[in-house]
């Protein structure tokens, strides 16, 4: 009987830790990478938000409403405008709705940022987040009141509508995100075309 028991125990295969370790190691390595991308996103957003707030305060303090301050002749200069609409003075009659959209964008970007593995996606989303926060603060705290606040615009270039740092950050960030999507770069750091090639190979 003792020989049979020893034979049965010997026949049971031992657990192979090698099959579990790679998945565990990959998950462990992905967590620091994700935190780094979120940190990068938040740093970019904070820098752009601070720059936007500072330049708006300077514009309000030193540029009279409607006054033209030339920088490059008649082509580029400063002109203080209170904008109730979206970027580049669009949708001027929907200030409250734009405020809610901006708040939703801020929340959405932060949630997406927690899963990021791509540096370029972190940069693009950081630009969008910084710009959205800059204009959101105007809508919440500037006159005529909460959810109705007018955004401070002050950069005038040629025929282009007057804008600010936040508008530029949002537009440039959105363009970068669209380009990343078109060329197949995923937020998780992979590339869709390469994944498809690997599966079919």
């Amino acid at each position: 009987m003792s020989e049979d028991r020893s034979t049965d125990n010997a026949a049971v295969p031992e657990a192979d830790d090698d099959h579990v370790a790679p998945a565990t190691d990959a998950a462990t390595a992905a967590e620091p990478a994700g935190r780094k991308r979120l940190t990068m996103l938040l740093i970019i957003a904070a820098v752009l938000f601070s720059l936007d707030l500072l330049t708006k305060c300077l514009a309000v303090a030193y540029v009279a409403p409607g006054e033209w301050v030339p920088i490059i002749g008649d082509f580029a200069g400063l002109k203080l405008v209170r904008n109730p609409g979206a970027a580049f003075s669009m949708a001027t009659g929907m200030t409250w709705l734009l405020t809610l959209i901006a708040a939703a964008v801020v929340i959405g970007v932060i949630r997406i940022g927690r899963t990021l593995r791509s540096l370029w996606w972190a940069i693009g989303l950081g630009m969008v987040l910084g710009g959205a926060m800059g204009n959101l603060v105007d809508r919440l705290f500037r006159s005529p009141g909460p959810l109705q606040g007018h955004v401070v615009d002050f950069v005038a270039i040629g025929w282009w509508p007057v804008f600010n740092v936040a508008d530029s950050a949002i537009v440039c960030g959105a363009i970068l995100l669209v380009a990343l999507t078109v060329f197949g770069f995923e937020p998780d750091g992979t590339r869709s075309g390469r994944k498809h090639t690997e599966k079919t190979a």
Side-chain angles (χ1 to χ4, degrees):
M1 295 295 290
S2 61
E3 293 179 356
D4 293 340
R5 290 178 180 175
S6 62
T7 303
D8 293 340
N9 293 337
V12 177
E14 296 181 357
D16 188 358
D17 294 337
D18 293 339
H19 294 292
V20 181
T24 304
D25 293 344
T28 304
E31 291 179 2
R35 287 196 294 268
K36 289 181 180 178
R37 299 301 180 245
L38 178 59
T39 300
M40 175 64 70
L41 186 158
L42 295 177
I43 289 174
I44 292 172
V47 170
L48 290 172
F49 170 74
S50 301
L51 181 61
D52 179 68
L53 182 62
L54 174 62
T55 53
K56 285 175 178 175
C57 290
L58 292 174
V60 171
Y62 294 105
V63 181
E67 177 187 1
W68 171 258
V69 180
I71 296 177
I72 305 177
D74 294 332
F75 175 73
L78 303 178
K79 184 178 181 180
L80 184 62
V81 175
R82 303 280 184 165
N83 176 20
F88 310 115
S89 300
M90 296 183 293
T92 56
M94 305 178 67
T95 306
W96 65 271
L97 179 59
L98 295 171
T99 305
L100 297 179
I101 292 174
V105 168
V106 170
I107 296 172
V109 169
I110 293 175
R111 293 189 63 181
I112 295 173
R114 298 172 61 184
T115 65
L116 281 182
R117 300 292 180 271
S118 168
L119 175 61
W120 288 107
W121 272 86
I123 293 173
L125 288 174
M127 296 173 70
V128 172
L129 178 59
M133 289 176 58
N135 284 341
L136 179 60
V137 167
D138 280 6
R139 299 192 188 284
L140 291 177
F141 298 106
R142 293 191 185 274
S143 61
L147 300 182
Q148 298 290 332
H150 293 179
V151 173
V152 175
D153 291 335
F154 58 91
V155 181
I157 299 178
W159 52 268
W160 201 259
V162 183
F163 60 97
N164 56 38
V165 174
D167 294 338
S168 300
I170 292 171
V171 172
C172 293
I175 291 173
L176 176 57
L177 295 179
V178 170
L180 291 172
T181 302
V182 169
F183 289 103
F185 292 95
E186 302 290 343
D188 62 2
T190 61
R191 192 170 181 181
S192 57
R194 291 184 178 179
K195 287 194 297 185
H196 178 72
T197 302
E198 291 174 358
K199 290 180 180 179
T200 57

